[in-house]
């Protein structure tokens, strides 16, 4: 049974649920928060230490903190597995995350609003929503009750399921950040997506097509038909063809989701002067992991600046490390495109959240090439 109540501080809240997720809202000791959510037992996949899939622990006593005024409590129905989840589990970002263990993995979520903070205006309790957390969030989405800020969520398109919706936001917002916020692509421009077979690359193809750009991509042979069906004008198989000679002409923007030396060299050579090269493999996290935050961050900034100056001088292009970031306007456009079927990320396989270790192992061992989603019910 679920009961809806209205409070002053926490504007709406649902009370009830199964024994494993019983919770209620009560006045908080903090006047600022107004009300406090007390969750007696909420399932979550905890990461107590870095390692292989076996370190993941599904617990039913994870803490749900008080909602801040701009935050939303989401009853998660589906969460997708991103490469960031498996690499964080293995220790990527340890300079930032190690002191904060145990943490909850997961960035993407699709579910229903269970409660909202005092200043939330755009969402209401019971509404179906989807969205994604920032890459550095410590309390992730592999849990029955995820907490995101209002600008990290939007209404879920009614035309797609929670499983389909959960596959989209983190990847699509990363592509949005590169193409729209950094390169500011416009109608008629030529865009190259290196790695159009992956989730970010495929989202990038669809966003650039929706912006009426001419899109080329590199991907494996199995992804070529899908890239062309999504509107790419040229899809080059990186396993059998020489990319630079196959892709003629000059591009206004190159999004490199692979970001190895060879793709960086090729991408930069294919840009026109003034064009933007954006790699998803920025070195900030790996350098801070190696040297610590205090030394690693300045080294990363210096390396980025050196590359930016070097490429501006040698090729006349703009060089960027791209990182996913919440963007309410981007998420709204992603929702609109998903609603009408112009932005999809195919889901290869789903696992119940109880099989999270199996899902991570399958991704680690590359047994499943496409998107994997964890279901919570
Ligand atoms: N900086 C950030 O904020 C951020 C955000 C999201 C993701 N990322 C990173 O970006 C990368 C992609 O993420 P994703 O979610 O799209 O991963 P994904 O869905 O697992 O896609 C990776 C795909 O890249 C393709 N690929 C591999 N080598 C290639 C090459 N040399 N040329 C062209 N395509 C190649 C493969 O597709 P085929 O089947 O076509 O071979 C593979 O499926 C990951 O490394 C991830 O960690 C960074």
């Amino acid at each position: 049974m679920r009961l809806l109540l209205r409070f002053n501080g926490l504007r709406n809240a649902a009370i009830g649920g199964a024994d494993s997720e019983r919770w209620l809202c009560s006045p908080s000791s903090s006047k600022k928060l107004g009300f406090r959510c007390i969750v007696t037992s909420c399932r979550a996949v905890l990461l107590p230490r870095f390692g292989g899939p076996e370190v993941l622990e599904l617990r039913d006593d994870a803490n749900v903190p008080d909602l801040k005024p701009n935050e939303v409590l989401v009853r998660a129905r589906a969460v997708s597995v991103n490469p960031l989840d498996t690499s964080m589990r293995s220790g990527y970002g340890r300079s930032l995350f190690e002191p904060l263990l145990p943490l909850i993995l997961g960035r993407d979520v699709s579910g229903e609003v269970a409660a909202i903070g005092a200043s939330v205006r755009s969402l209401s309790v019971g509404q179906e929503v989807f969205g994604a957390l920032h890459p550095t969030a410590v309390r992730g989405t592999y849990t029955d009750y995820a907490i995101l800020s209002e600008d990290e969520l939007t209404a879920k398109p009614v035309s797609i399921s929670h499983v389909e919706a959960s596959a989209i936001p983190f990847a699509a917002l990363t592509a949005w950040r590169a193409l729209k916020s950094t390169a500011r692509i416009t109608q008629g421009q030529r865009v190259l997506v290196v790695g159009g077979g992956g989730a970010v690359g495929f989202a990038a193809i669809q966003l650039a097509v929706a912006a009426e750009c001419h899109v080329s991509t590199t991907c494996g042979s199995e992804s070529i038909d899908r890239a062309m069906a999504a509107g790419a004008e040229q899809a080059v198989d990186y396993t059998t063809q020489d990319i630079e000679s196959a892709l003629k002409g000059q591009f206004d923007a190159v999004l490199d989701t692979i970001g190895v030396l060879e793709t960086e060299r090729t991408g930069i050579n294919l840009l026109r002067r003034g064009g933007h090269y954006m790699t998803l493999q920025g070195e900030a996290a790996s350098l801070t992991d190696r040297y610590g935050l205090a030394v690693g961050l300045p080294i990363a900034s210096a390396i980025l600046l050196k590359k930016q100056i070097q490429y501006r001088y040698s090729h006349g292009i703009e060089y960027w490390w791209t990182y996913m970031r919440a963007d309410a306007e981007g998420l709204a456009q992603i929702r609109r495109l998903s609603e009408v079927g112009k932005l999809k990320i195919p889901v290869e396989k789903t696992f119940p959240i109880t099989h999270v270790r199996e899902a991570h192992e399958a991704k680690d061992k590359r047994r499943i090439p496409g998107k994997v989603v964890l279901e919570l019910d």
Side-chain angles (χ1 to χ4, degrees):
M1 189 184 74
R2 178 156 284 200
L3 189 67
L4 295 184
L5 291 184
R6 181 176 286 272
F7 292 113
N8 293 332
L10 193 75
R11 293 196 305 121
N12 279 314
I15 292 188
D19 280 353
S20 63
E21 57 184 53
R22 194 174 298 133
W23 58 281
L24 54 85
C25 292
S26 69
S28 163
S29 51
S30 156
K31 279 190 182 149
K32 202 169 140 210
L33 292 174
F35 282 83
R36 190 159 55 132
C37 281
I38 302 168
V39 179
T40 54
S41 53
C42 159
R43 274 191 315 174
V45 176
L46 295 189
L47 180 74
R49 62 185 187 284
F50 301 119
E54 72 286 350
V55 300
L56 297 173
E57 285 178 13
L58 183 63
R59 300 271 295 267
D60 59 10
D61 59 353
N63 179 42
V64 178
D66 293 348
L67 285 188
K68 293 187 184 123
N70 67 331
E71 286 181 337
V72 178
L73 187 67
V74 178
R75 174 63 175 97
R77 297 294 171 192
V79 300
S80 88
V81 177
N82 280 289
L84 183 61
D85 305 347
T86 49
S87 54
M88 267 173 72
R89 191 209 67 225
S90 309
Y92 175 80
R94 66 169 63 236
S95 57
L96 186 67
F97 295 120
E98 195 151 34
L100 304 169
L101 292 172
L103 54 85
I104 300 175
L105 294 175
R107 308 292 105 184
D108 281 318
V109 68
S110 183
E112 295 119 32
V113 175
I116 55 178
S119 68
V120 173
R121 293 283 173 270
S122 64
L123 301 169
S124 54
V125 170
Q127 190 177 359
E128 292 194 324
V129 289
F130 77 139
L133 283 163
H134 191 269
T136 56
V138 173
R139 194 180 187 282
T141 57
Y142 289 10
T143 174
D144 283 328
Y145 288 96
I147 296 178
L148 292 89
S149 62
E150 184 178 14
D151 65 356
E152 292 172 329
L153 288 166
T154 191
K156 179 183 84 64
V158 289
S159 55
I160 59 174
S161 67
H162 283 302
V163 166
E164 290 166 321
S166 73
I168 297 171
F170 191 78
L173 280 165
T174 305
W176 177 274
R177 176 93 187 134
L179 298 180
K180 300 293 277 193
S181 310
T182 302
R184 298 177 184 275
I185 56 167
T186 51
Q187 184 185 23
Q189 287 193 325
R190 293 193 74 206
V191 174
L192 170 61
V193 178
V194 178
V200 179
F202 192 52
I205 292 172
Q206 295 168 90
L207 288 175
V209 168
E212 299 181 38
C213 294
H214 303 286
V215 183
S216 299
T217 190
T218 67
C219 56
S221 55
E222 276 118 65
S223 308
I224 285 182
D225 289 348
R226 193 176 66 185
M228 298 298 283
E233 292 173 10
Q234 194 179 9
V236 177
D237 182 352
Y238 70 92
T239 62
T240 58
Q241 286 179 270
D242 177 60
I243 305 298
E244 226 170 307
S245 50
L247 289 167
K248 296 277 180 313
Q250 292 191 313
F251 290 86
D252 298 282
V254 173
L255 171 57
D256 185 353
T257 72
I258 309 304
V260 294
L261 283 178
E262 195 190 336
T263 57
E264 179 167 314
R265 185 187 52 77
T266 308
I268 284 169
N269 284 344
L270 287 166
L271 277 172
R272 67 160 174 80
R273 286 188 82 77
H276 296 264
Y277 170 85
M278 297 151 292
T279 173
L280 298 187
Q281 312 299 339
E283 294 173 57
S286 55
L287 287 166
T288 52
D289 285 349
R290 195 179 319 154
Y291 300 111
L293 280 174
V295 179
L297 269 185
I299 293 179
S301 304
I303 289 177
L304 176 59
L305 188 63
K306 182 170 170 255
K307 284 194 154 196
Q308 287 179 323
I309 293 169
Q310 178 194 319
Y311 284 128
R312 210 170 284 159
Y313 182 74
S314 61
H315 291 73
I317 62 112
E318 302 297 323
Y319 176 96
W320 306 101
W321 290 346
T322 292
Y323 296 99
M324 179 273 181
R325 187 180 278 190
D327 183 316
E329 189 200 327
L331 192 57
Q333 173 67 352
I334 286 162
R335 180 184 61 72
R336 281 191 287 273
L337 293 173
S338 308
E339 179 84 68
V340 295
K342 290 187 175 173
L343 176 50
K344 299 178 198 165
I345 298 195
V347 175
E348 199 79 27
K349 189 167 167 58
T350 63
F351 290 84
I353 190 84
T354 48
H355 291 209
V356 61
R357 289 179 177 176
E358 206 180 313
H360 269 232
E361 193 177 336
K363 286 311 292 179
D364 280 2
K365 299 202 165 145
R366 298 168 194 254
R367 284 202 290 260
I368 304 171
K371 202 64 165 163
V372 164
V373 168
L374 304 169
E375 289 186 274
L376 305 100
D377 53 26

